[in-house]
Amino acid sequence: MASDLEQLCSHVNEKIGNIKKTLSLRNCGQEPTLKTILNKTGDDIIIVNELLNKLELEIQYQEQMNSSLKELCESLEEDYKDVEHLEENIPSHLPPVTVTQSSYMKSRLTYCKINEVIEEINKAVISKYKILHQPKKSMNSVARNLYHRFIDQETKDTKGHYFIVEADIKEFTTLKVDKKFHMLLNILRHCRRLSEVRGGGLTRYVIT
């Protein structure tokens, strides 16, 4: 993600540099060649403005995602501490701790797996919206087809929100979309980190 932002910032800085060089020539007269350059400058200004808007959206998304991940980790850490406390304070009249130990290990496994799923979902969201923010002229046929699919999947309920579908998970990650995956999604929904928007035979997982 850092490299993507660096490339975007580098592109913006290059455009700004070209604009500054061109504007320094605006008092050199009304030669046709200069008018052409100034017209191109106007186009560059529009492009820079679009890039800055996209950069701002990307930063807002990353801040939202980081905040959600932090809250989820804190919530899971509290659950982990509760389980650990129960393990250390089992009354003496209960049977041996073998079952509790098993549950304790399952809790740790689920915690690690959730973190892995969150990272992969984050990867899918970034990959999807990188294509949506990409200038159409620079898209190849694969990216263009994905772009139109993403647009077709949007609804009034997803407007202003980041979301993915199972096809995005398969497209951009190595996760298996199986029962365990859906169980972990249920945990994320329970923690209010995801919500579902259904329609048109499609389930959209909205980042909350």
Side-chain angles (χ1 to χ4, degrees), residues 56-69:
E56 183 179 0
L57 287 174
E58 191 67 38
I59 291 173
Q60 289 176 354
Y61 166 71
Q62 287 299 319
E63 289 176 345
Q64 178 184 355
M65 182 59 70
N66 288 338
S67 177
S68 296
L69 289 176

Side-chain angles (χ1 to χ4, degrees), residues 101-111:
Q101 279 282 20
S102 175
S103 299
Y104 168 75
M105 293 306 294
K106 287 179 182 177
S107 177
R108 283 182 62 85
L109 178 62
T110 302
Y111 177 82

Side-chain angles (χ1 to χ4, degrees), residues 112-142:
C112 295
K113 192 66 179 176
I114 286 174
N115 281 336
E116 179 184 338
V117 169
I118 289 173
E119 290 176 3
E120 291 298 301
I121 288 176
N122 189 31
K123 184 191 301 182
V125 172
I126 290 172
S127 298
K128 172 183 176 177
Y129 285 90
K130 182 180 178 182
I131 292 175
L132 283 173
H133 293 162
Q134 182 179 342
K136 292 183 181 178
K137 292 182 180 180
S138 65
M139 291 181 181
N140 57 29
S141 59
V142 176

Side-chain angles (χ1 to χ4, degrees), residues 65-87:
M65 182 59 70
N66 288 338
S67 177
S68 296
L69 289 176
K70 182 179 178 181
E71 291 178 9
L72 178 58
C73 286
E74 289 175 353
S75 175
L76 291 174
E77 189 66 30
E78 287 297 320
D79 292 342
Y80 169 73
K81 289 179 180 179
D82 290 341
V83 172
E84 195 173 47
H85 175 75
L86 289 173
E87 181 196 22

Side-chain angles (χ1 to χ4, degrees), residues 25-67:
L25 300 174
R26 65 181 178 178
N27 295 323
C28 294
Q30 296 296 321
E31 297 180 15
T33 55
L34 290 179
K35 287 184 178 180
T36 301
I37 292 175
L38 289 175
N39 288 334
K40 186 178 183 300
T41 298
D43 294 336
D44 284 343
I45 291 174
I46 294 174
I47 293 173
V48 169
N49 186 59
E50 291 177 351
L51 289 172
L52 288 174
N53 289 336
K54 292 174 182 177
L55 180 58
E56 183 179 0
L57 287 174
E58 191 67 38
I59 291 173
Q60 289 176 354
Y61 166 71
Q62 287 299 319
E63 289 176 345
Q64 178 184 355
M65 182 59 70
N66 288 338
S67 177

Side-chain angles (χ1 to χ4, degrees), residues 146-194:
L146 288 171
Y147 175 87
H148 290 300
R149 192 189 85 191
F150 297 154
I151 295 299
D152 290 340
Q153 291 170 349
E154 292 181 354
T155 70
K156 63 178 182 179
D157 295 319
T158 62
K159 187 176 181 180
H161 298 284
Y162 294 95
F163 74 93
I164 55 173
V165 298
E166 287 188 7
D168 302 326
I169 295 293
K170 296 175 181 177
E171 180 77 31
F172 300 117
T173 78
T174 58
L175 288 175
K176 292 183 179 180
V177 182
D178 52 16
K179 290 183 179 180
K180 183 180 291 186
F181 172 77
H182 286 99
M183 178 193 74
L184 293 170
L185 286 185
N186 285 335
I187 293 175
L188 291 176
R189 285 205 308 274
H190 179 72
C191 295
R192 297 182 181 178
R193 296 296 171 261
L194 285 178

